[in-house]
Amino acid sequence: MSRPGGWWGRKSTPAKFETYTRWSFHSFPLIEFVTVGGPVLGRAGKIGPGLTALLVFLVTLHCVLCAVSASHALDWLRGQREQPRRLVWALGGLTAVVAGSAVAIAEHGPAGRDVDEAVAGILLIAPAFGAGIVALGVRNRLRVLALAAGATLGSLPFGMPAPATLTVAAVVLFGGGFVAFTSVFSVRLLNAVYELDEARETRTRLAVAEERLRFGRDLHDVMGRNLAVIALKSELAVQLAQRERPEAVAQMVEVQRLAHEAQREVREVVRGYREADLSNELAGAKGVLDAAGIDCTVTGPTTGLPAQVQSALGWVVREAATNVLRHGNARWCAVGIRVLKGRTVLTVLTVENDGVPENGGSGQGSGLVGLRERLAEIGGSLRAGPAGDGRFLLTAEVPLPSPSGPSPSGESTASPAPRTNVSEVTP
């Protein structure tokens, strides 16, 4: 059985907010039962068993129907079921019955301070919570206002003195209106959280599409021109060959040169697309993480490293930042770069973040597999996995080329072999 922390940690931020909203509304019936049913049960010996049973039954039934209506209304607002019209009408009718019963008991029931206090709790609290839950099942603001006004009118004890009647009306109107508009605002906020999450995903997809368009445009610019010239040269060579002109050979040599030139330019385009600058990637990762509300710190030197090492580590930073954004619920991220001098000089890049579920499970992330292959080409290694206390640690080691060449013993200083048996876990 998974721990509650792991269950909560696996949820996305919108799902966490939805869970919080749902349990907030589910707590309303519990609050109502404690604040209304508790005093009634506490005065059972003074107000009589029959009246106590009736009031407790009405309050309990009202609380249960409030909980069920809130759950179905939230499902409807999230598009998971149809509008619970019958439940909304049933809850509204039951709220009117509870309020009317309390008014009838106050005016025609047994006299006594204990009875008045028990009835007062029902009149002041049950209509307010009922109006708030019913507001979840409607869309029109005027209907929400009508709910608050209806709850107020249904709770008026006309047989009581005017000051007491006005006090009850003011309290019920304020409480019902407050709970109703709190319900509407909470739902709007929940929808806004989901819309923002969808907008972030859309922005990510658009960024990828824009990069693909840029890459396709560069290839079109390179290949379009060269292929057009090659086609013209080839047609000219064919015509010259049909006429047995010696210039056909020169034209085919030119076609061959253009083909090699196009191949070289395509390689340059692909190389420019795949290479990553370490300083730019660090700045970009910090900006993206800070914009996402994740406190990102970068320490260590970023200059003076060979271009090949900077490109490899730049890709590590890019993939690590993507994992921090996509997985877990990180609050901070620390990126460190240091150079370890020994028999082999190593550049070590570490990326650590929190917010990783304890039961995240292990697997082979495609991004980490690609990073391992890229680092293995230059003798580097990659380690990635949980570091305890909800932290995730990614460590990349890349050897720096030795400026002195062969070692004094006549053997060249070999780069350390890539580490095996490494557990890779995407956070």
Side-chain angles (χ1 to χ4, degrees), residues 212-230 258 261-269:
R212 288 175 178 173
L213 289 175
R214 185 201 66 81
F215 183 60
R217 183 170 57 251
D218 291 345
L219 283 179
H220 177 269
D221 293 342
V222 171
M223 295 301 297
R225 181 190 68 250
N226 291 332
L227 290 177
V229 177
I230 288 174
L258 290 172
E261 181 69 16
Q263 186 179 23
R264 183 188 63 80
E265 291 183 355
V266 169
R267 286 176 178 173
E268 289 181 354
V269 171

Side-chain angles (χ1 to χ4, degrees), residues 154-216:
S155 305
L156 291 179
F158 294 101
M160 297 178 63
T165 302
L166 293 177
T167 301
V168 171
V171 172
V172 173
L173 180 61
F174 175 79
F178 177 78
V179 177
F181 281 100
T182 299
S183 301
V184 174
F185 178 78
S186 298
V187 171
R188 289 181 178 270
L189 190 59
L190 177 62
N191 291 333
V193 170
Y194 272 102
E195 290 175 0
L196 288 175
D197 186 68
E198 293 175 359
R200 184 178 65 177
E201 293 180 358
T202 302
R203 183 178 61 182
T204 302
R205 290 194 296 268
L206 289 176
V208 173
E210 183 179 357
E211 183 64 15
R212 288 175 178 173
L213 289 175
R214 185 201 66 81
F215 183 60

